[in-house]
Amino acid sequence: VVDEISEKNKQLEAEALDKKIWKDRAKYFNISYVKQSLSPADVDYKYNSSLGVAITNGRTYYLHKKPILGIDWSFFDVNVAMYENETTDGYEVEKENMYQAEVGMQIGPSVTVNPIDHLKVNGYFRVTPSYSMMYSGDEFNGSYGTFFSAGGAISYKVISLGIEARWGKTKYKSLVDLGDIMGDDGDSSAETPKTNWKTASTRFYISFRF
């Protein structure tokens, strides 16, 4: 009887520990510092961001009782970057800021191992369908874009530290030209062609798992 009670207690303790390590840490909230580049698809030139931030909120759905494989679903992913753009009229060089932002979601497989205690190491690959926007000068552009991300993190209880690569292409279309609205000279009826832009970024993030 004593052996049975002892064995039952060990089982209950193991189940409680598994719950604390896995089920109680399935949700995540990431705050990222972003280094990003933006370049026209057919031009050998790129803009490098002077500032970038991202916020990601989601959950991991583990596929086994003793989890290793899982599906990550980030149902809220926002990425914002600012670039400095130099223009010239032939006499003076002027600097203006360009802004790029994406709002979307991420979904994809992940692998997580638990080598000791509450320490976990995970890696993942996600598809990130997003609506992408870019503002430069007087023009506001937007379009749907499919992005991809791959990364990994080290977690201990609530806190995680991670790094993520993110890339994709967007065919921007002009939505609003403030120059036309303000009455600048030019043919406002002319349709602006779509332009392909490539985005590549690295995110360094702190994550809270709960």
Side-chain angles (χ1 to χ4, degrees):
V1 172
V2 172
D3 289 342
E4 288 179 358
I5 294 174
S6 177
E7 187 63 29
K8 184 64 174 179
N9 287 337
K10 289 180 180 179
Q11 183 179 350
L12 292 174
E13 290 174 357
E15 291 176 354
L17 182 60
D18 283 346
K19 182 177 182 296
K20 290 180 180 179
I21 293 174
W22 300 101
K23 292 183 180 179
D24 292 349
R25 302 284 181 252
K27 297 178 182 179
Y28 52 86
F29 181 80
N30 301 352
I31 302 174
S32 305
Y33 170 73
V34 181
K35 293 292 293 181
Q36 188 161 290
S37 66
L38 177 67
S39 58
D42 300 327
V43 179
D44 187 19
Y45 179 80
K46 67 179 180 181
Y47 301 96
N48 292 312
S49 64
S50 55
L51 177 66
V53 294
I55 294 176
T56 306
N57 190 17
R59 181 186 180 95
T60 301
Y61 296 88
Y62 296 108
L63 303 180
H64 306 280
K65 186 176 180 180
K66 289 291 185 181
I68 294 179
L69 297 177
I71 299 294
D72 293 341
W73 179 31
S74 303
F75 40 83
F76 179 76
D77 182 77
V78 176
N79 191 90
V80 179
M82 182 179 75
Y83 310 87
E84 288 187 352
N85 181 29
E86 293 186 351
T87 60
T88 180
D89 58 4
Y91 299 97
E92 296 181 353
V93 176
E94 296 182 356
K95 290 185 178 181
E96 62 180 15
N97 291 330
M98 294 173 53
Y99 300 90
Q100 183 187 16
E102 285 86 37
V103 179
M105 56 175 284
Q106 302 178 340
I107 189 166
S110 64
V111 177
T112 306
V113 294
N114 173 220
I116 187 173
D117 194 32
H118 288 265
L119 181 67
K120 292 187 294 184
V121 180
N122 80 299
Y124 56 85
F125 174 82
R126 301 170 186 164
V127 179
T128 310
S130 307
Y131 187 82
S132 184
M133 298 160 281
M134 182 170 64
Y135 173 76
S136 176
D138 292 333
E139 193 171 9
F140 183 82
N141 301 275
S143 182
Y144 168 82
T146 300
F147 294 80
F148 302 91
S149 58
I154 298 176
S155 309
Y156 186 79
K157 294 187 177 180
V158 177
I159 301 296
S160 298
L161 295 176
I163 184 172
E164 177 179 292
R166 180 174 171 273
W167 66 95
K169 292 182 180 180
T170 306
K171 183 176 284 188
Y172 286 113
K173 180 180 180 181
S174 178
L175 301 178
V176 177
D177 192 324
L178 298 180
D180 293 340
I181 294 176
M182 298 301 292
D184 289 354
D185 294 336
D187 184 7
S188 60
S189 63
E191 183 177 349
T192 304
K194 294 182 178 181
T195 306
N196 278 308
W197 291 79
K198 296 186 293 184
T199 301
S201 56
T202 303
R203 291 174 170 180
F204 304 91
Y205 64 85
I206 181 171
S207 179
F208 302 94
R209 282 193 166 266
F210 51 92

